[in-house]
Amino acid sequence: MLWLYILLGIALFVALVMFIPITLRASYKEKFWCAVYIGFVKLQLVPAKPKKEKKKKVKKQTPKTEQPKKATEKKPSLIKKYGIEWLLNLIKRVAELAVSALQDFFSHILIKKFSLSISAAGDDAADTAIKYGKYCAVVYPAVGTIVRVVKCKGYGVDINPNFSEKAETEINFDFVARVFVFRLVALAVKHGIKGLKLLAEVKNEL
């Protein structure tokens, strides 16, 4: 019966690992900050923590004897060998696989918080109005695209012009997104198999 308990323990451990959340947190308020949380483990990405400098050991250099270079035969390029149509078809197949993988990946991400506020300011009233229009034209469509592609619990975007004298453009940003380990494993298996099949087909064609 001991082996049964061991198997149950392993299965329970794997199940717990699969349901570990991976959370990305990012914020901007004068300075950018970003970190990834794997369960309760924090990995700070920006600003990066300073690394300790290691003392480099000085190696004694030994004189190298020059060896005669061997003449290498140039192999024909893939385009010359198989044609441009074959290469374009391969690029198309790789692109389709990449797009499918990205769509699957983003569809399983949950944005728990998305908050962006911009106070647009320029040199004068006209410049402020122009900047405000540019920011709106870029930000609102981009956020709309993100919300359509990714599951979003709540988001808020606020862009306002600041016509005060000597005002400066201010940006505040908070972002929290989460995905579970089992989702990433399932995606890796699904699209990894497709990638291996494509690689095998290309090898057979060569």
Side-chain angles (χ1 to χ4, degrees), residues 32 54 73 85 102 121 136 162 181 185 202:
F32 183 68
K54 294 181 180 180
E73 294 182 1
E85 290 182 2
L102 286 172
C136 290
N162 188 346
V181 169
V185 172
V202 172

Side-chain angles (χ1 to χ4, degrees), residues 95-112:
E96 287 173 350
L97 180 61
V99 169
S100 175
L102 286 172
Q103 285 177 340
D104 257 4
F105 174 72
F106 284 116
S107 66
H108 291 103
I109 292 176
L110 172 64
I111 295 179
K112 299 183 73 177

Side-chain angles (χ1 to χ4, degrees), residues 28-180:
Y28 181 87
K29 193 173 183 180
E30 294 182 355
K31 289 183 179 180
F32 183 68
W33 178 88
C34 182
V36 174
Y37 293 80
I38 303 173
F40 297 103
V41 180
K42 176 184 173 183
L43 302 173
Q44 188 168 315
L45 304 178
V46 180
K49 293 181 179 179
K51 295 180 180 180
K52 293 180 181 179
E53 293 184 359
K54 294 181 180 180
K55 293 181 179 179
K56 294 181 180 180
K57 293 180 180 180
V58 180
K59 294 182 179 179
K60 293 181 180 179
Q61 294 182 351
T62 54
K64 293 180 180 179
T65 54
E66 292 185 1
Q67 296 180 352
K69 293 181 180 180
K70 294 180 180 179
T72 55
E73 294 182 1
K74 288 185 179 180
K75 294 182 179 180
S77 65
L78 292 174
I79 295 175
K80 287 183 178 179
K81 193 173 181 181
Y82 299 101
I84 188 69
E85 290 182 2
W86 177 88
L87 182 62
L88 292 175
N89 184 50
L90 176 60
I91 292 171
K92 180 185 174 184
R93 290 157 70 188
V94 172
E96 287 173 350
L97 180 61
V99 169
S100 175
L102 286 172
Q103 285 177 340
D104 257 4
F105 174 72
F106 284 116
S107 66
H108 291 103
I109 292 176
L110 172 64
I111 295 179
K112 299 183 73 177
K113 184 179 181 182
F114 185 99
S115 174
L116 175 64
S117 64
I118 301 175
S119 176
D123 297 331
D124 51 36
D127 188 35
T128 299
I130 291 169
K131 286 184 177 179
Y132 169 71
K134 286 181 178 178
Y135 296 158
C136 290
V138 172
V139 173
Y140 284 117
V143 173
T145 302
I146 292 170
V147 171
R148 283 196 301 271
V149 174
V150 184
K151 294 175 184 176
C152 194
K153 246 186 177 180
Y155 69 96
V157 180
D158 185 26
I159 305 175
N160 291 304
N162 188 346
F163 294 103
S164 304
E165 289 184 10
K166 297 181 180 180
E168 294 182 356
T169 299
E170 293 181 359
I171 300 174
N172 292 321
F173 174 70
D174 281 305
F175 178 83
V176 180
R178 185 193 68 193
V179 65
F180 287 100

